[in-house]
Amino acid sequence: MTGTASTREVAGRTLVELGRDHPDLVVLGGDLNKSTFANLFGAAYPDRFFDFGPAEQNIVSIAAGMAASGKVSVVSTFAVFSTARPYDQLRVGVSQSNLNVKMVATHAGIITGEDGMSAHAIEDVALMCALPNMTVIVPADAVETAQVLRVVVERPGPFYVRLSRPATPVIHDNGFAFALGKAERVREGGDATVVACGIMVNTALEAAEALARLRVEVDANAQQGYRAEGLADRIRNEYGVSKSRASLIARQETSNFMANYIEASSRDAGIKKYQWYSARDSRTRPDHLALHGKIFSFDNPPITDTRTGARNNPMQDYRCRCRAKPVIS
Amino acid sequence: MQVIDDGGAIAETSTGRPVRMATPGGTATKDSDMREPMSAQQLTEVARRLRRHIVTMTAMAGSGHPGGSLSAVEIVASLYFRVLRHRPGEPTWPERDRFILSKAHACPVLYGALAESGYFPMTELTTFRKIDSRLQGHAHIKTPGVEMSGGSLGQGLSFGIGTALAARLDGRPTRTYVLLGDGECDEGQVWEAAMSAAHYRLDSLVAVVDRNGIQNDRFTSEVMELEPLPAKWRAFGWHTLEIDGHDISQVLAALDEATETKLKPTAIIAKTVKGRGVSFMENNPDFHGKAPSKEQLAQALEEIG
Ligand SMILES: Cc1ncc(C[n+]2csc(CCOP(=O)(O)OP(=O)(O)O)c2C)c(N)n1
Ligand SMILES: [Mg+2]
């Protein structure tokens, strides 16, 4: 699969497929079955599909009763109505009871922006993670959603599957195999760790790409001897950030580049040590002032923040104006 | 209604539903777990024993809910020892009828009935509310014979809809009986469920409302007026009966009528006395959630006989 697809629509279609192999699968909805695509299951298996109207407390307890009688109960409604509203029914009747109730919730997060804040499910993951026996899964795309639903239907116990409304990019190829409870590395790299779930995985991938592009721009800008100010305007235009943030990024990243450049060129010349040189004016932070004149090695930077214990070479700390004077031994 | 044959096998009633068979002479049926349905006189005797269990268990635990347990004794006794098709030796038998104690604080009466039926040893009743006991202060699904975890009022009727719908899908003859408190009917979910059960024409579902007129703090008429309660159930599409919930023959007749009723669920509003059988507990809101003291226990046992 490539392009975009909505996880809720794939979930609706997958339930129809699963209904073929699983005669005990029942789907319970709350008057949102067109939006959740649960109506596809209803059309395929009318006797195993139940609509109770928007009465989510009732729905969850009924799902529990059916599960206690050997059914695999899928409850399909919006995330806001799947969690906070019937929370007590989930708590006592499903999770403490460890019954086969699968909450397949759509329209999660703030992606329902225009509907206003009552429609934004932002507490749902926290609520569901607090319940004993409850497994929470937030698939990243349509490919994963289809595989997750199969696992959820076939494994015993309560599950919460958090799906989204819009069509979002498909990031997994057909060789993907979902593994319950395991994080999946979707991009290699060594500078930073970004952890994401659900549709934010794609956003995080885009952010990683943008950061990689930014790194190239910063380096090129600095290598050509341009100042950070010119870069700030470009960052502002390209990444849509505020003026102050753009100039902060430009200064900080240029400064970082310079620090790395000095370190690398010193090493190239066989220099391993430097003398810390601070500006010694009213803006110099005391921790940095205390380092002035002392000799350190690039490999073992000093503590530059006594509160956090962070270690850095000059120009690596936020807005640091100190310099590393190479020491030739 | 009930068809007796020598073999103690399952046979059909006029309504087409298999019923539990009695074996003459009081010996076990062939289906060894199925006990002989009790006569009204035997039910009166088992009701007396259930009352003794209730006051003893709560007194030994030093806490618990005797009032609403005592008011439901005849209802629970009639179900467990006459009406329900169940196998105490095989609590998960799929075909069993379901009894769902929605007012799960009244679990002493349920535990008494389960022990008397043979789901667990009678001696286990002494562990009620103790740490590591299977007999929690509110009924929990992991206890043998308990169908639903309760304690949070208002969920049992919905749960019963679930068991009834599942039975219908499977073509099982299972019937579902849900015992609700009257104060519990303040919960909105009860009425969501009432509407749904009628919509799905769940004639295998019976709601029994223990109309003892008292809830946690006070009389129901003071906390929240419920009347006209039967009219409410009728308006929600239920076949609705009003009975004296301590008169075993009325309880049995109502349960029979529920079985005969087609295309509608049945609500039985059972007028009862909270704390029934113990003079100082009767109609006394204080004994909703308070255990009798040692001295009170002695008096209670003497009154119960
Ligand atoms: C959701 C919920 N709210 C509050 C309580 C506390 N509570 C326990 S029993 C009770 C009163 C119940 O009255 P009723 O249903 O009439 O019970 P009965 O008289 O049969 O004992 C209350 C409010 C609870 N258990 N669950
Ligand atoms: Mg009451």
Side-chain angles (χ1 to χ4, degrees):
Chain A
M1 211 186 275
T2 50
T4 62
S6 88
T7 51
R8 62 178 163 134
E9 183 171 351
V10 166
R13 297 193 189 291
T14 306
L15 286 174
V16 174
E17 273 172 40
L18 290 169
R20 259 197 302 275
D21 311 340
H22 298 278
D24 284 332
L25 183 62
V26 294
V27 175
L28 298 83
D31 198 23
L32 286 169
N33 303 307
K34 287 192 268 182
S35 306
T36 63
F37 288 90
N39 61 352
L40 299 180
F41 190 92
Y45 316 102
D47 56 328
R48 286 192 272 149
F49 176 72
F50 303 91
D51 194 347
F52 296 98
E56 294 78 13
Q57 306 173 42
N58 190 34
I59 295 172
V60 167
S61 300
I62 293 172
M66 294 184 90
S69 292
K71 300 298 168 197
V72 177
S73 305
V74 168
V75 175
S76 167
T77 185
F78 289 5
V80 272
F81 310 130
S82 297
T83 53
R85 185 58 173 265
Y87 195 63
D88 188 39
Q89 286 73 9
L90 286 166
R91 177 179 161 270
V92 179
V94 173
S95 104
Q96 290 178 2
S97 304
N98 200 10
L99 288 172
N100 255 335
V101 174
K102 325 292 181 178
M103 303 300 294
V104 178
T106 67
H107 296 65
I110 54 170
I111 210 84
T112 49
E114 57 272 35
D115 283 335
M117 62 167 75
S118 71
H120 304 167
I122 54 174
E123 320 82 349
D124 59 327
V125 170
L127 286 171
M128 300 308 268
C129 283
L131 294 174
N133 299 317
M134 180 69 69
T135 305
V136 176
I137 309 179
V138 191
D141 67 1
V143 170
E144 187 168 18
T145 299
Q147 295 192 21
V148 162
L149 278 184
R150 181 168 293 276
V151 168
V152 159
V153 164
E154 292 177 354
R155 287 219 187 191
F159 280 83
Y160 178 63
V161 183
R162 185 182 205 250
L163 304 176
S164 193
R165 179 178 62 172
T168 49
V170 176
I171 60 171
H172 291 108
D173 59 28
N174 288 331
F176 170 72
F178 171 72
L180 182 62
K182 282 213 175 114
E184 178 202 354
R185 186 196 289 255
V186 291
R187 191 186 196 279
E188 303 289 330
D191 290 330
T193 303
V194 179
V195 181
C197 65
I199 60 172
M200 292 310 287
V201 172
N202 184 64
T203 305
L205 282 170
E206 285 174 3
E209 289 306 323
L211 287 174
R213 277 201 316 277
L214 179 62
R215 166 71 61 218
V216 171
E217 279 205 47
V218 167
D219 292 3
N221 188 69
Q223 267 164 1
Q224 288 160 16
Y226 297 130
R227 291 164 53 85
E229 282 65 31
L231 182 63
D233 284 343
R234 294 222 302 283
I235 290 174
R236 202 178 153 204
N237 291 337
E238 189 174 337
Y239 298 95
V241 294
S242 69
K243 191 172 179 181
S244 59
R245 177 145 303 214
S247 82
L248 167 72
I249 292 169
R251 267 205 317 273
Q252 185 60 31
E253 292 308 313
T254 301
S255 173
N256 250 326
F257 173 84
M258 293 309 293
N260 291 340
Y261 180 77
I262 290 166
E263 181 180 337
S265 45
S266 301
R267 283 180 193 278
D268 282 353
I271 298 165
K272 292 190 177 129
K273 296 194 166 172
Y274 65 86
Q275 186 181 30
W276 190 289
Y277 196 87
S278 4
R280 284 165 296 148
D281 57 15
S282 61
R283 282 155 58 209
T284 307
R285 60 205 101 171
D287 283 345
H288 286 205
L289 189 59
L291 301 173
H292 180 72
K294 297 193 175 145
I295 311 274
F296 303 102
S297 84
F298 286 111
D299 286 340
N300 187 20
I303 291 177
T304 54
D305 185 338
T306 47
R307 197 174 48 84
T308 64
R311 289 175 177 275
N312 270 316
N313 290 321
M315 299 174 77
Q316 287 180 323
D317 276 334
Y318 172 63
R319 298 185 92 165
C320 174
R321 294 169 299 134
C322 303
R323 292 287 178 267
K325 281 182 153 182
V327 174
I328 299 156
S329 48
Chain B
M1 260 292 294
Q2 253 147 2
V3 187
I4 311 292
D5 80 7
D6 304 359
I10 303 278
E12 297 260 312
T13 60
S14 57
T15 59
R17 176 173 178 267
V19 295
R20 202 173 51 158
M21 296 289 82
T23 302
T27 53
T29 59
K30 257 190 203 158
D31 183 344
S32 59
D33 275 335
M34 282 211 188
R35 298 255 208 102
E36 176 184 350
M38 286 185 178
S39 67
Q41 197 191 336
Q42 287 172 309
L43 288 173
T44 306
E45 165 57 17
V46 93
R48 185 186 64 84
R49 289 206 300 276
L50 290 182
R51 287 202 160 85
R52 292 184 70 87
H53 290 318
I54 291 164
V55 292
T56 308
M57 285 167 76
T58 50
M60 281 183 71
S63 63
H65 299 80
S69 301
L70 291 167
S71 60
V73 160
E74 281 75 16
I75 298 161
V76 171
S78 300
L79 283 166
Y80 271 89
F81 303 98
R82 176 76 165 253
V83 175
L84 293 182
R85 299 165 53 255
H86 63 132
R87 293 178 176 171
E90 190 190 348
T92 58
W93 179 44
E95 288 223 349
R96 73 193 183 280
D97 290 337
R98 306 304 201 266
F99 172 73
I100 291 156
L101 184 65
S102 191
K103 43 171 258 183
H105 58 275
C107 54
V109 67
L110 175 60
Y111 295 153
L114 292 174
E116 289 278 351
S117 300
Y119 282 89
F120 44 77
M122 210 81 88
T123 49
E124 200 168 331
L125 293 177
T126 60
T127 69
F128 175 55
R129 283 181 167 257
K130 303 257 161 66
I131 194 148
D132 292 335
S133 170
R134 296 193 288 185
L135 310 184
Q136 295 193 20
H138 290 79
H140 182 74
I141 196 167
K142 284 182 188 139
T143 306
V146 174
E147 299 286 359
M148 183 193 81
S149 292
S152 186
L153 293 169
Q155 303 182 13
L157 192 54
S158 304
F159 192 95
I161 292 173
T163 61
L165 283 173
R168 176 187 285 177
L169 275 176
D170 296 345
R172 280 182 278 116
T174 298
R175 290 183 61 77
T176 298
Y177 300 88
V178 182
L179 182 60
L180 300 154
D182 48 3
E184 185 180 12
C185 293
D186 294 353
E187 286 284 355
Q189 189 184 351
V190 170
W191 302 100
E192 294 180 5
M195 205 169 0
S196 310
H199 178 83
Y200 283 97
R201 301 178 195 277
L202 285 175
D203 51 17
S204 67
L205 180 65
V206 180
V208 183
V209 181
D210 184 352
R211 185 72 174 108
N212 58 28
I214 293 174
Q215 49 200 100
N216 188 74
D217 291 350
R218 291 180 289 159
F219 292 91
T220 55
S221 57
E222 296 172 324
V223 176
M224 185 55 60
E225 185 55 75
L226 288 163
E227 294 302 335
L229 189 59
K232 288 191 174 82
W233 286 91
R234 282 191 192 102
F236 275 76
W238 288 60
H239 180 60
T240 305
L241 307 169
E242 294 167 76
I243 60 162
D244 174 346
H246 297 305
D247 180 335
I248 284 171
S249 64
Q250 286 192 38
V251 173
L252 292 173
L255 293 170
D256 270 355
E257 186 172 329
T259 306
E260 304 295 338
T261 302
K262 294 295 152 211
L263 298 176
K264 275 182 173 196
T266 296
I268 301 171
I269 316 290
K271 281 275 291 172
T272 59
V273 175
K274 199 152 177 170
R276 167 79 171 209
V278 180
S279 59
F280 57 90
M281 291 189 183
E282 282 194 3
N283 227 6
N284 179 359
D286 289 349
F287 278 96
H288 165 78
K290 192 176 80 171
S293 67
K294 239 184 180 168
E295 299 72 43
Q296 287 172 324
L297 172 65
Q299 189 190 332
L301 288 174
E302 192 171 317
E303 287 183 19
I304 294 165

